[in-house]
Amino acid sequence: MNRRIKQDIEPRLAQRQLDMRRFFILSAIRRGTVYPKELSEKLGLPATLLSRYLEQLVQLGFLERQIDRQDSRRTRLSLTESGTQAVAAAAEDIKTSTSQRLQRLDPSRLGLLLESMERLGHPDLER
């Protein structure tokens, strides 16, 4: 399923100069993970690889780096207006693609799928 969704969405992301990793990086920054070290840990990306992606996103005009005002040794990341628009549009593309796939399911199967996903995401299963 993941592979199919990725095949559907990758061309749409490419039109926005994104791929899945760039999308996840921008999404995490939009949700408040604004320091490279935290971003690397959260996304499970090696720092060197993340650095390359961040530089690409800066070159695309989606991302800015600033010196942190509280600690000048740290770099703070923020989305530009273009970056905000790109990640919002990409999220909408993903939502539309996923919605189209889910609409193909029989309603009783959809209910079972949603219930199963809810159970799998329940905190008690993390132990």
Side-chain angles (χ1 to χ4, degrees):
M1 180 181 90
N2 190 31
R3 188 171 10 130
R4 291 276 187 209
I5 290 173
K6 187 176 178 182
Q7 288 171 342
D8 288 348
I9 199 62
E10 285 275 328
R12 296 178 194 198
L13 292 177
Q15 291 173 351
R16 301 182 191 292
Q17 298 180 298
L18 294 175
D19 58 19
M20 292 303 286
R21 279 195 177 155
R22 288 178 183 161
F23 171 74
F24 288 133
I25 291 167
L26 292 176
S27 294
I29 294 168
R30 183 172 75 165
R31 288 189 308 269
T33 306
V34 296
Y35 297 106
K37 183 177 181 185
E38 293 171 356
L39 198 55
S40 175
E41 292 169 359
K42 183 172 189 159
L43 298 176
L45 291 173
T48 54
L49 181 60
L50 176 63
S51 180
R52 281 184 283 198
Y53 276 102
L54 294 177
E55 185 57 35
Q56 291 170 6
L57 291 165
V58 167
Q59 294 299 316
L60 288 167
F62 293 161
L63 186 64
E64 293 178 336
R65 294 178 174 139
Q66 301 96 19
I67 300 298
D68 189 306
R69 290 183 181 155
Q70 277 78 39
D71 184 349
S72 62
R73 296 170 295 177
R74 296 178 80 182
T75 300
R76 185 176 174 84
L77 306 168
S78 62
L79 299 183
T80 63
E81 183 62 32
S82 295
T84 300
Q85 290 173 2
V87 75
E92 188 60 34
D93 287 344
I94 292 169
K95 181 180 173 182
T96 299
S97 176
T98 304
S99 177
Q100 289 170 349
R101 286 193 162 279
L102 290 173
Q103 287 176 13
R104 296 179 195 154
L105 288 177
D106 177 88
S108 64
R109 288 183 178 219
L110 179 58
L112 181 60
L113 172 65
L114 295 174
E115 180 183 333
S116 298
M117 290 174 70
E118 186 175 319
R119 284 185 183 184
L120 289 171
H122 196 275
D124 289 342
L125 290 177
E126 293 175 9
R127 293 184 199 157

